[in-house]
Amino acid sequence: MNIYQQFVKQKLKTITPEELVVYSREYGLPITVSQAKKILHLARTNNINVFDPQERKKWVRELAKITSPDIARKANELFLKFVQKK
């Protein structure tokens, strides 16, 4: 795991639901605090490597259950852009 991946993993462990809501709105993916809590619970209780395409696919499916298919798709697209810029 490279430093970039470690940074993302650490941020997932420390971000608050309220911070996640702010970030989601900044990127055009509005979620509620309740949804943010569920997303963070999912991220923290499952060791999902979002840098692995197969694991990210599972994560996107779970995200769609928590939010909506549209938000999950947009989140995946945003993450892919983010990964390509590193």
Side-chain angles (χ1 to χ4, degrees):
M1 185 180 303
N2 66 35
I3 190 82
Y4 182 70
Q5 291 171 335
Q6 289 174 346
F7 174 76
V8 171
K9 196 169 187 172
Q10 182 61 32
K11 188 62 177 173
L12 281 173
K13 289 180 182 178
T14 61
I15 193 170
T16 66
E18 292 77 15
E19 286 176 303
L20 184 57
V21 168
V22 170
Y23 287 132
S24 73
R25 290 190 179 138
E26 286 178 11
Y27 289 98
L29 302 167
I31 59 172
T32 66
V33 172
S34 175
Q35 289 171 325
K37 287 178 182 178
K38 291 175 185 175
I39 291 166
L40 292 175
H41 177 74
L42 173 70
R44 292 172 180 160
T45 58
N46 298 287
N47 193 18
I48 299 171
N49 177 3
V50 292
F51 293 92
D52 177 90
Q54 293 302 320
E55 288 189 42
R56 187 174 57 251
K57 198 175 191 180
K58 288 191 303 189
W59 178 78
V60 170
R61 280 194 298 264
E62 291 301 316
L63 183 59
K65 292 177 189 175
I66 295 169
T67 58
S68 72
D70 187 50
I71 287 182
R73 180 184 50 77
K74 288 178 182 176
N76 189 48
E77 289 171 4
L78 178 64
F79 189 78
L80 290 173
K81 287 179 189 176
F82 181 66
V83 170
Q84 291 170 356
K85 288 183 180 182
K86 71 173 191 139

